[in-house]
Amino acid sequence: MSSLAAPAPALAPRRARLADLPVLLVAVVWGGSYLAAKGVTTTHTVIAVLVLRFALVLPVLALAGRRRLRALNAARLRGAGLLGLVLGGIFLLETYGVVHTSATNAGLIISLTMIFTPLAESAVRRTAPSGAFLAAAAVSVAGVVLLTQGAGLTAPSGGDLLVLGAALARTLHVLLMARIKAVQDADPLSLTTVQLGGAVLVFALLAALPGTGDSPWAAAADLGPAQWAGLAFLSVFCTLFAFFVQMWAVRRTSPSRVSLLLGTEPLWAAAAGIAVGGEHPGPAGLAGAALVLAGTAWGRRTVAA
C-alpha cells in the first residue's frame, strides 16, 4: 500500500534505520500469519474468515478517522474504493493459496513481490533499477529458495499459482496507487479505512452467494479459543498494524526499501515454523536465512532512502 507519486524525502542513516524497524516488525508478524491462517481457515471457511478478519478492525478505523472520512471527496472515495477491490482480490488469492499449498511454498512465492514492486516502481517513474539493487534482490531470492527447500519445497500446485497471482496483484495495487492521482495525497487513515471497507464488501457479497462455503456466523460459532486468538492476531497485527506501518514507512523511505524489508517475511515464517510448527529447515535452510538477511541489508543500502 505505497504511494509512488513523488520520491520520499531523504533521511539521515540513523532516522532511516529507525524507520526500518516497524517495517521489519510487520515482516515478523506476517511470517507468523501463515501458521495462524492455517489454524483458523479451511477450504470451506476462507471467505467467512476474511469477513471476520476485516470486520473486526474496520469499526475501529472508522471511529478513529470519522472526521477525516467525511472530508474525502468523491474522487478520492472512488479511487480508494477501486484499491479496496484489488485488495480484496489479493487476500482471496493469498488465503485460498495458503490453504492449498505449504507455508514454505507460499512464503517463497509471495517474496517475489520484492522483485515485482521495484520493477513496477521503475516502470512508473521511467527509471532503471540499479545493478546493485538487482544483485541484492537476486541474493535475497536465492536465499528464500534455499530456505524453503531446506524446509521441504513441494512441486508447484494450484495453490502455488494462486499465491503467485496474489504477488502479481500486490504489484498491481502499487501501480494503481501511483496512477490514481486522487489518492496520492489522501490521508493514510481514511485511505486504509475505505480500502478495507471495499474489501469487506467484496467478501460479504461472495459470502452471500450459494456454494462459497460457510457463512461468517457459522464459521464464528465453530471457532474455539485458540482459533479466536489466531483470528485476532490476523486482524489486529497482520491487517491493522501492518497497513498503517506500510503507509507510514513508504512516505518516509521508498517502496523499494520497504519491499526489501518485507522480503524477509519467509525468514520469519520459517522461524515461526521451527518454534511453533516443529519444522526443521536443515543446513540449506539456515544458509538461505543468512542470504536473505545479507541480501536485504545490501539492498537497503542501494535504495535511495
Side-chain angles (χ1 to χ4, degrees), residues 97-297:
V98 167
V99 169
H100 291 93
T101 190
S102 67
T104 52
N105 277 32
L108 167 62
I109 297 167
I110 281 294
S111 73
L112 295 177
T113 305
M114 80 173 178
I115 298 298
F116 300 153
T117 300
L119 293 177
E121 181 185 6
S122 295
V124 170
R125 291 181 174 172
R126 300 182 181 180
T127 60
S130 69
F133 172 81
L134 292 176
V139 169
S140 295
V141 171
V144 171
V145 171
L146 283 176
L147 179 65
T148 54
Q149 285 179 338
L153 184 65
T154 63
S157 66
D160 296 330
L161 295 178
L162 289 171
V163 179
L164 177 61
L168 292 170
R170 286 188 183 188
T171 303
L172 174 62
H173 190 266
V174 173
L175 287 174
L176 288 175
M177 286 287 291
R179 297 290 184 178
I180 302 175
K181 294 182 180 180
V183 303
Q184 290 173 1
D185 296 321
D187 170 65
L189 176 59
S190 300
L191 184 60
T192 300
T193 304
V194 175
Q195 286 191 79
L196 293 185
V200 169
L201 178 60
V202 171
F203 304 146
L205 290 175
L206 289 175
L209 297 176
T212 55
D214 296 345
S215 70
W217 320 113
D222 290 338
L223 294 179
Q227 291 171 312
W228 274 110
L231 183 60
F233 173 76
L234 291 171
S235 297
V236 176
F237 292 99
C238 300
T239 305
L240 185 64
F241 170 74
F243 288 152
F244 268 122
V245 168
Q246 286 184 87
M247 297 280 295
W248 170 83
V250 81
R251 297 186 179 191
R252 285 159 176 78
T253 58
S254 74
S256 297
R257 188 180 181 104
V258 169
S259 69
L260 277 169
L261 286 166
L262 295 180
T264 64
E265 177 185 339
L267 174 64
W268 306 113
I274 294 170
V276 181
E279 296 180 357
H280 301 286
L286 295 176
L291 283 178
V292 170
L293 290 176
T296 302

